[in-house]
Amino acid sequence: MPAQRQDPQRLLAALNQQRAADGLEPWAGQVTGPALGTALVAAVAGAADRGGEPAKVALRQAVTYLLGLLAARAPGRTVEVRVPPFAAVQCIAGPAHTRGTPPNVVETDPVTWIRLATGRTAWADAVAVGRVRASGSRSDISRYLPLVAVGRAGADGH
């Protein structure tokens, strides 16, 4: 399940689906990958902050977008980061893994991944309560987090 290259039109559709679920007008901001990705992550994180359930398509696209940012920030094939059922990436420079179960694996659920990637949850806290399962000597990805800075719930997203 590699993270896919993000199509701005898919990001826009997912963002507008989340905004509609939140009772907001369609996105009127920039229609570029980075602007849409950040706005989508903010919208999904905001829904989770409010205790709501993010729209599934929006959550999937936000997870994939953030995994792509992680892979770009920490290129390599030493650690596999899995966010089932949506996507996984290999990242971090070092010995490459090519077959079988990787020796360094991070796995978490989609909402926890959003919280980690936006700085809403600290790595150590998520690991301590079992929201993140990290195995292998290189599996601590905390130095790469957060990936984006987005406001808390209540922000309009424009």
Side-chain angles (χ1 to χ4, degrees):
M1 307 187 277
Q4 303 168 7
R5 185 166 174 79
Q6 292 296 301
D7 172 13
Q9 292 306 311
R10 283 183 174 219
L11 290 171
L12 179 61
L15 173 58
N16 282 334
Q17 184 180 34
Q18 184 62 57
R19 290 179 62 82
D22 293 339
L24 300 172
E25 295 292 321
W27 175 252
Q30 287 185 316
V31 183
T32 64
L36 290 167
T38 300
L40 175 60
V41 169
V44 168
D49 287 348
R50 292 186 299 275
E53 192 69 31
K56 187 172 183 176
V57 169
L59 184 58
R60 173 182 293 132
Q61 290 297 319
V63 163
T64 304
Y65 176 77
L66 291 167
L67 286 171
L69 291 181
L70 176 62
R73 181 176 288 180
R77 296 183 53 133
T78 299
V79 178
E80 185 166 290
V81 179
R82 300 172 179 169
V83 184
F86 298 138
V89 295
Q90 289 186 347
C91 58
I92 318 272
H97 167 75
T98 57
R99 295 180 59 107
T101 301
N104 301 289
V105 175
V106 172
E107 188 167 322
T108 190
D109 64 274
V111 172
T112 299
W113 174 242
I114 299 292
R115 291 186 186 287
L116 287 165
T118 59
R120 286 164 161 75
T121 298
W123 172 264
D125 294 341
V127 170
V129 298
R131 302 296 298 176
V132 170
R133 290 158 305 286
S135 62
S137 61
R138 299 172 184 257
S139 64
D140 183 343
I141 61 170
S142 61
R143 70 180 178 181
Y144 303 103
L145 301 172
L147 295 166
V148 296
V150 295
R152 294 285 182 183
D156 178 28
H158 276 171

